[in-house]
Amino acid sequence: MFERVKQSKLFFWSLELLVLATLILVLSKIGFVFQPVVTFFTTLFAPVLIAGFLYYLLNPMVELLTKRLKIKRIIAIVIVFVLLVLALVLIISSIIPNLVIQISQLAENIPDFVEQVENWAYGIANTEIVKQMFKQVDVMEQLEKMNLSYGAILQRFLSGLSSSLGSIVGSIASATMTLVTAPFILFYMLKDGDKVVPNIEKAIPEKRREQVKELLGKLNKTLSNYISGQAIECIFVATFTFLGYLIIGVDYAFLFGVIAGITNLIPYLGPYLGLLPAVSVTIFNDPFKALLCCVVVLIVQQLDGNIIYPNVIGKSLAIHPLTIIIVLLVAGNIAGLLGIFLGVPFYAVCRTIVLFIIQVIKEDKTKQKQGKLLG
């Protein structure tokens, strides 16, 4: 009897695996059928993502105007949109020109940086230690073969630019469409965002409505805390890194401060990536100033980690550092730079859903046990 049960389970799971393998094989052969659906979602992904990000930044302002000041929601949305446009005009008129100036100055000084790197490399190659280590290799010859001259680098850049011109034009067209459609999506998100939860509740069985409402509230809080917190963190890191670089006399301090703020979106790795440009520009000319750059970033990160992060994000994303590193590696390998930026919030949302489902299952089991005891 026992053997028959074992054989039946083995047969059942073998059949299940066979059906699953067949399904995967069939889907791989008819992938063209799903191509329009994939195209539809990839087209909407960027504008919906931008609109969702701005929704979580601006919705608290709309709620403040409607609930505290008793302003009609549509008027509150118009006010918030006007403030958003004014903020964008301020950024474009004051921040962007400074960035453009510093980027152009940096580009003009690239030949000097390349020359500094060449002198440093040749100086290292001529030391006795390196000569002893590479007796069989002509280091100078290898450096010359690499052709680090400014003209060669510029030629490689222009050839790469010409070969990818078509993709650049396509990217510009896609970005234009995203910038045009995102404001409309944002407007309707702000207008009808409060109706989403009630509409979802109607489609859920009555006994689960409160639980689903609680889950949606937790997801909304998780995303809201993360997005608004990251925005505050980026502004803080960019501002104080810029001021620190300005105090120690780093060239292009404003540009490097903005880079530090943007890369701070990447957990753990972001501060090092933001530090890299400043160190690269200063280390070959003034190593002590490069060391001071490291000190500035260390101080800013200590202030951010001990004051800003705990207060603006708190424990809503209480994820172990090792887990975050694994998520970044996997997400970056799957979706590149976008995966690195979105991997942690996506994991946080999935984690919230899984923990909530486990909590619901435990509560149901507890209720069943209590019902049996009472029965």
Side-chain angles (χ1 to χ4, degrees):
M1 182 69 182
F2 181 70
E3 290 295 329
R4 188 178 299 173
V5 171
K6 285 180 66 178
Q7 289 176 3
S8 63
K9 285 185 177 180
L10 179 62
F11 176 77
F12 171 78
W13 285 111
S14 299
L15 185 62
E16 288 290 320
L17 291 173
L18 180 63
V19 171
L20 181 62
T22 305
L23 181 62
I24 293 172
L25 178 64
V26 172
L27 289 176
S28 66
K29 298 295 182 182
I30 60 171
F32 63 91
V33 176
F34 303 100
Q35 189 60 39
V37 179
V38 174
T39 303
F40 175 78
F41 281 105
T42 52
T43 303
L44 287 178
F45 179 76
V48 170
L49 181 66
I50 294 172
F53 176 80
L54 292 174
Y55 170 79
Y56 279 105
L57 285 180
L58 301 178
N59 191 54
M61 296 176 61
V62 175
E63 295 293 332
L64 177 67
L65 292 173
T66 53
K67 293 181 179 179
R68 295 286 181 88
L69 303 180
K70 305 299 181 183
I71 299 175
K72 289 184 178 180
R73 191 170 186 86
I74 189 70
I75 298 175
I77 293 171
V78 172
I79 293 172
V80 169
F81 260 79
V82 170
L83 293 175
L84 178 62
V85 170
L86 291 176
L88 290 174
V89 170
L90 178 64
I91 291 171
I92 293 171
S93 61
S94 59
I95 296 177
I96 300 298
N98 288 329
L99 284 177
V100 171
I101 290 171
Q102 295 207 350
I103 290 172
S104 62
Q105 289 175 349
L106 183 62
E108 289 176 359
N109 290 325
I110 284 179
D112 296 333
F113 297 143
V114 173
E115 186 178 352
Q116 290 174 7
V117 174
E118 284 183 342
N119 293 335
W120 175 81
Y122 287 133
I124 295 293
N126 286 322
T127 57
E128 289 298 327
I129 297 176
V130 174
K131 288 180 180 179
Q132 292 296 325
M133 291 175 62
F134 299 97
K135 285 182 179 180
Q136 305 299 325
V137 180
D138 190 343
V139 179
M140 300 296 293
E141 182 182 349
Q142 296 300 321
L143 288 172
E144 289 175 0
K145 285 182 179 179
M146 290 172 65
N147 198 2
L148 295 174
S149 66
Y150 176 66
I153 294 173
L154 182 61
Q155 185 179 1
R156 291 170 197 162
F157 172 76
L158 292 176
S159 62
L161 183 65
S162 61
S163 62
S164 58
L165 190 60
S167 61
I168 292 173
V169 172
S171 299
I172 292 173
S174 177
T176 303
M177 289 299 297
T178 298
L179 292 175
V180 170
T181 55
F184 292 98
I185 297 173
L186 174 61
F187 175 81
Y188 285 105
M189 279 185 172
L190 291 171
K191 180 176 177 291
D192 301 323
D194 57 338
K195 299 176 184 177
V196 173
V197 174
N199 289 333
I200 293 176
E201 286 181 19
K202 292 178 183 178
I204 302 297
E206 189 172 351
K207 66 177 183 178
R208 296 291 184 187
R209 282 181 183 175
E210 288 300 321
Q211 293 173 336
V212 171
K213 184 178 180 180
E214 183 183 352
L215 173 61
L216 292 174
K218 287 185 176 182
L219 292 176
N220 183 64
K221 184 179 179 181
T222 299
L223 287 173
S224 179
N225 286 351
Y226 182 80
I227 291 174
S228 58
Q230 287 293 333
I232 294 171
E233 272 200 296
C234 287
I235 294 171
F236 172 83
V237 171
T239 302
F240 283 88
T241 304
F242 159 62
L243 292 176
Y245 287 165
L246 199 63
I247 291 170
I248 64 176
V250 176
D251 294 331
Y252 324 109
F254 185 71
L255 173 62
F256 294 153
V258 172
I259 292 173
I262 294 172
T263 55
N264 197 68
L265 288 169
I266 305 173
Y268 293 99
L269 301 177
Y272 304 105
L273 296 175
L275 175 63
L276 187 61
V279 171
S280 300
V281 168
T282 56
I283 192 168
F284 299 106
N285 185 38
D286 191 346
F288 181 71
K289 190 174 286 186
L291 180 62
L292 290 178
C293 291
C294 297
V295 173
V296 167
V297 170
L298 179 63
I299 294 172
V300 171
Q301 289 301 317
Q302 287 297 313
L303 292 172
D304 175 50
N306 293 302
I307 299 175
I308 304 300
Y309 186 89
N311 289 295
V312 301
I313 296 181
K315 296 183 178 179
S316 60
L317 293 179
I319 305 173
H320 195 277
L322 181 60
T323 304
I324 290 181
I325 292 172
I326 294 172
V327 169
L328 290 176
L329 290 173
V330 174
N333 192 37
I334 293 173
L337 186 61
L338 188 64
I340 292 175
F341 282 111
L342 300 181
V344 173
F346 179 75
Y347 171 80
V349 168
C350 294
R351 178 173 173 268
T352 302
I353 294 172
V354 171
L355 291 177
F356 185 81
I357 292 172
I358 293 172
Q359 178 187 340
V360 169
I361 292 172
K362 288 181 178 179
E363 289 176 355
D364 288 346
K365 287 183 178 179
T366 303
K367 289 178 182 178
Q368 289 176 2
K369 287 180 181 179
Q370 290 176 349
K372 288 180 180 179
L373 291 174
L374 293 174

